[in-house]
Amino acid sequence: MKRRTFLQTSTLLGASLGATAKAASSEPLIIATWKNEKATIAGWNKLMETGKALDGVEAGARIPEADPNDTSVGYGGYPDRDGHVTLDACIMDHVGNAGSVTFLEGIMHPISVARAVMEKTPHVMLSGAGALKFALDQGFKVENLLTESSKKAWEEWKKESKYEPVINIERHDTIGLLGIGKAGEIAGACTTSGLAFKMHGRVGDSPIIGGAVFCDDEVGGACATGLGEFVMKTLGSFLIVELMRQGMSPQKACEEAVMRIVKRYKYKEFQIGYLALNKKGEYGAYAIQKGFNYTITKNGKTQVIESASYM
Ligand code: SD4
């Protein structure tokens, strides 16, 4: 769509919804869960090059995917309890297209496979062996993603083999990203190796459109990190976007989505962190536990911001 047409459309939509959306007023940016400066900077650089939010969030997600020291994403991710590194990822663009992969093994960049699912198939989600077959058909290469140190951590864990899906509250780095492109459009992405030592076959929220990522270009976008089971049961990112549609700020909407979980499940010994962005470029975040933070790159400047939390 040409920029002028886009601006006219968004003004009309804003008026008809009674919303505050104004595409023209938001500047390009990339925002991501956790302290992920390398990812937001890479995303920002890509965004500056192509102009597109979708390219920015994909490029950002590829950074932790290839980082052997990030034990929650891609290469170096902790395996499941049977020793397999299994990956979940999804991506969503500003016109509502979405792609995702779940339970994918041996591919360093599941986010790019998710994008290929979105752009090259009539489907939204491919899983396991089928996702792998598709990736290979697309020219992705199989690699061993289990590093020596992640293997060691798994062997340590096996000594006690506690199968509770308790997520480390202080540090887990699944990356969710949101971006605003040069035309003011919003896209989102998420990629993870999921819970450390999860049951084989377990899939979390990260590949679920509406769970870990949701974007609606009339309103904004949201993404999630933390114990995916609770994000899935409350469709957190979808909820946040809908709350923003009804007029809440990104901050208030994240708080409300966290409170849904806290009130409904009455169990708070785990972490959920939400991050949201609206069409004006306003953003907010909220978590159950202390320790959640997020990173933003805008105007070439990068900042890590501590999120407020319920506890
Ligand atoms: C999952 N949400 O698989 C992911 C885990 C996560 O940082 O966020 N880890 O449930």
Side-chain angles (χ1 to χ4, degrees):
M1 203 186 291
K2 287 208 181 83
R3 188 170 164 78
R4 246 185 87 203
T5 334
F6 179 82
L7 294 180
Q8 283 165 352
T9 312
S10 56
T11 309
L12 279 176
L13 288 171
S16 68
L17 289 167
T20 46
K22 264 190 211 147
S25 64
S26 54
E27 291 169 48
L29 64 85
I30 297 286
I31 193 165
T33 56
W34 305 110
K35 191 174 174 327
N36 260 315
E37 297 105 311
K38 282 187 189 154
T40 58
I41 290 168
W44 166 264
N45 288 339
K46 190 71 187 177
L47 200 164
M48 287 299 105
E49 189 189 318
T50 70
K52 292 185 182 148
L54 190 70
D55 294 334
V57 293
E58 181 193 9
R62 287 172 63 96
I63 299 299
E65 283 182 341
D67 180 354
N69 299 317
D70 189 322
T71 56
S72 303
V73 182
Y75 179 48
Y78 281 158
D80 66 17
R81 68 195 205 185
D82 297 344
H84 297 262
V85 181
T86 73
L87 308 172
D88 297 335
C90 77
I91 193 158
M92 189 164 193
D93 75 8
H94 66 292
V95 289
N97 294 313
S100 114
V101 288
T102 78
F103 195 46
L104 176 63
E105 286 186 59
I107 301 290
M108 174 100 57
H109 291 298
I111 196 66
S112 299
V113 185
R115 182 166 178 177
V117 171
M118 173 173 90
E119 291 176 343
K120 298 183 178 167
T121 81
H123 306 305
V124 170
M125 183 182 283
L126 290 180
S127 185
L132 179 59
K133 182 176 181 299
F134 171 72
L136 298 178
D137 289 348
Q138 292 296 313
F140 290 86
K141 298 275 172 287
V142 169
E143 291 171 82
N144 175 22
L145 303 180
L146 184 62
T147 55
E148 270 314 304
S149 70
S150 291
K151 192 171 170 204
K152 246 193 206 149
W154 170 58
E155 276 157 358
E156 252 329 286
W157 170 86
K158 272 203 294 186
K159 290 181 187 160
E160 278 200 42
S161 300
K162 278 198 196 142
Y163 293 148
E164 301 139 25
V166 173
I167 199 157
N168 169 9
I169 283 169
E170 301 81 44
R171 186 135 192 87
H172 45 94
D173 302 310
T174 290
I175 189 167
L177 303 108
L178 301 166
I180 299 183
K182 286 187 182 170
E185 89 286 6
I186 289 184
C190 182
T191 182
T192 190
S193 52
L195 293 186
F197 320 128
K198 61 196 174 186
M199 287 177 71
H200 187 59
R202 181 266 187 189
V203 169
D205 60 316
S206 305
I208 307 293
I209 298 299
V213 173
F214 197 72
C215 302
D216 183 324
D217 215 45
E218 290 177 5
V219 180
C223 62
T225 180
L227 187 55
E229 276 71 6
F230 292 89
V231 176
M232 292 159 93
K233 286 189 275 197
T234 55
L235 269 190
S237 294
F238 180 74
L239 174 63
I240 290 169
V241 170
E242 291 311 303
L243 292 170
M244 291 196 294
R245 193 193 305 278
Q246 289 162 26
M248 275 191 200
S249 66
Q251 180 62 39
K252 272 271 156 246
C254 289
E255 289 173 17
E256 178 63 29
V258 162
M259 290 316 293
R260 283 279 170 100
I261 296 173
V262 168
K263 282 184 198 150
R264 186 151 191 203
Y265 297 100
K266 296 183 180 67
Y267 170 69
K268 306 168 203 86
E269 305 308 308
F270 56 86
Q271 177 65 305
I272 303 285
Y274 284 124
L275 180 58
L277 176 67
N278 69 13
K279 286 290 283 184
K280 289 194 281 185
E282 297 165 341
Y283 49 87
Y286 201 62
I288 298 181
Q289 309 286 340
K290 284 202 180 98
F292 178 50
N293 50 18
Y294 59 99
T295 310
I296 179 165
T297 299
K298 188 178 168 181
N299 292 325
K301 291 194 194 97
T302 300
Q303 219 187 329
V304 177
I305 301 168
E306 292 305 313
S307 164
S309 63
Y310 171 74
M311 300 294 278

